[in-house]
Amino acid sequence: MTINSDAAALKQSFALSWTNVAFFGTIHALAMLAPWCFSWSALAITIFLHWLFGSIGICLGYHRLLSHRSFSVPKWLEYAIATLGALAIQGGPTFWVAGHRLHHAHTENIDKDPYSSRRGFWWSHMLWIFYPRSEFFDPEHYKRFAPEIERDAYYRWLDRYFLLLQIPLGALLYALGGWSFIIYGVFLRAVLLWHTTWLINSATHISGYRNFQLNDNSRNLWWAAILTYGEGWHNNHHAHPNVAQAGLHWWEIDMTWWSIKILQNLGLAKKVTMFPKPKVGI
């Protein structure tokens, strides 16, 4: 299969999940109500929750803490951060961690990487969700790639009930600002956070520069790094996946690392893995 043969070949190879299409399509449609519900306070809620669930929940929690164990925190704090990740509506921790570990173990392999960029931009961005493969979406298959997560009773609870967390969140937002806050804080926030996260699977394997010459096509993409609180320094990450930082040079701004550093200064983050001393020419 060639790099950009997305649509026709995928329809022949995989079954379209109308359930997934309906779910994501409905959330996108509700997010489009945002112009009719605008207020500056609702926009502020979107930005705040995008950071809280995105940078802290997904980037710091699901990614750097649970997937790569690039640092450690007390278990109560780990659970709290993972709960923020579950609120991002990107799946439970076992699903997310297993998929990401498979991505690193088989980067861009057309069959073994869940969101291989070799299938084209739209596959790696979102079509992999619309054409789900059982080895990546069936818990009986993927849980073996995150066994320590799946063994944890609280994480199993999050795996099963993460969608229900939107109910207390929605109730809180309604109490604070009515339907406007729900449209902005749940639906618009979810859509923006989905697409910024997915850009790391798609755009950063296509465009950008490289600090490290690797066998994959991972790239450092500055605007993706801004939108994802540092995750866009993807070539750095693929070169050193277990490092808590994503930015290597001073200009590679990594907001998620700032949060980890604050936790470290407070004595809450320990065993923080840093970049090795750079080689000559880096």
Side-chain angles (χ1 to χ4, degrees):
M1 186 177 291
T2 59
I3 294 177
N4 293 312
S5 60
D6 294 20
L10 286 174
K11 289 180 180 178
Q12 295 174 4
S13 303
F14 308 116
L16 179 65
S17 170
W18 287 107
T19 299
N20 290 1
V21 171
F23 174 79
F24 285 94
T26 299
I27 302 298
H28 278 74
L30 290 169
M32 293 177 69
L33 296 174
W36 289 273
C37 304
F38 177 80
S39 70
W40 289 109
S41 56
L43 180 60
I45 285 291
T46 301
I47 294 170
F48 172 72
L49 293 182
H50 187 282
W51 167 79
L52 183 65
F53 300 159
S55 180
I56 305 302
I58 295 296
C59 303
L60 187 153
Y62 272 19
H63 186 204
R64 305 189 198 188
L65 177 58
L66 297 186
S67 296
H68 295 294
R69 295 295 178 184
S70 60
F71 63 101
S72 64
V73 296
K75 186 59 73 171
W76 65 265
L77 181 57
E78 180 179 308
Y79 285 162
I81 293 170
T83 303
L84 294 177
L87 280 159
I89 324 181
Q90 295 189 13
T94 306
F95 168 79
W96 205 103
V97 170
H100 189 72
R101 287 177 179 175
L102 280 167
H103 170 66
H104 275 276
H106 308 287
T107 305
E108 297 171 1
N109 183 290
I110 205 163
D111 293 314
K112 297 180 180 180
D113 182 345
Y115 24 85
S116 172
S117 61
R118 291 182 60 202
R119 290 190 181 274
F121 176 90
W122 286 110
W123 171 266
S124 57
H125 193 74
M126 62 191 299
L127 286 179
W128 67 280
I129 297 171
F130 293 161
Y131 292 89
R133 298 169 60 185
S134 61
E135 58 265 44
F136 306 136
F137 283 81
D138 183 342
E140 292 304 313
H141 289 292
Y142 67 69
K143 69 181 183 181
R144 67 181 185 273
F145 299 103
E148 83 286 8
I149 305 296
E150 196 275 333
R151 283 195 299 266
D152 189 292
Y154 183 66
Y155 290 145
R156 289 198 304 271
W157 186 88
L158 284 181
D159 288 334
R160 177 169 295 186
Y161 298 115
F162 70 94
L163 279 177
L164 295 181
L165 295 177
Q166 299 304 304
I167 296 175
L169 173 64
L172 175 62
L173 291 173
Y174 184 81
L176 292 174
W179 285 106
S180 173
F181 273 32
I182 291 179
I183 294 297
Y184 273 79
V186 175
F187 302 115
L188 181 61
R189 177 268 307 169
V191 168
L192 293 176
L193 186 51
W194 284 338
H195 285 283
T196 49
T197 301
W198 296 341
L199 282 170
I200 305 305
N201 303 335
S202 56
T204 62
H205 280 265
I206 295 174
S207 179
Y209 67 91
R210 293 158 66 85
N211 286 326
F212 301 93
Q213 296 305 311
L214 306 175
N215 292 328
D216 59 56
N217 199 41
S218 59
R219 303 277 172 164
N220 292 324
L221 192 57
W222 68 269
W223 56 266
I226 292 173
L227 294 173
T228 58
Y229 310 100
E231 301 292 82
W233 310 119
H234 203 50
N235 174 251
N236 298 346
H237 175 61
H238 270 261
H240 297 281
N242 296 324
V243 167
Q245 295 169 278
L248 174 63
H249 300 296
W250 66 266
W251 65 83
E252 294 174 345
I253 296 173
D254 182 1
M255 290 181 64
T256 301
W257 164 245
W258 299 348
S259 299
I260 296 172
K261 192 65 179 176
I262 290 172
L263 292 176
Q264 186 180 38
N265 290 339
L266 292 173
L268 293 172
K270 299 181 179 179
K271 300 179 181 178
V272 179
T273 305
M274 305 293 290
F275 279 111
K277 292 183 178 180
K279 298 178 181 179
V280 175
I282 293 179

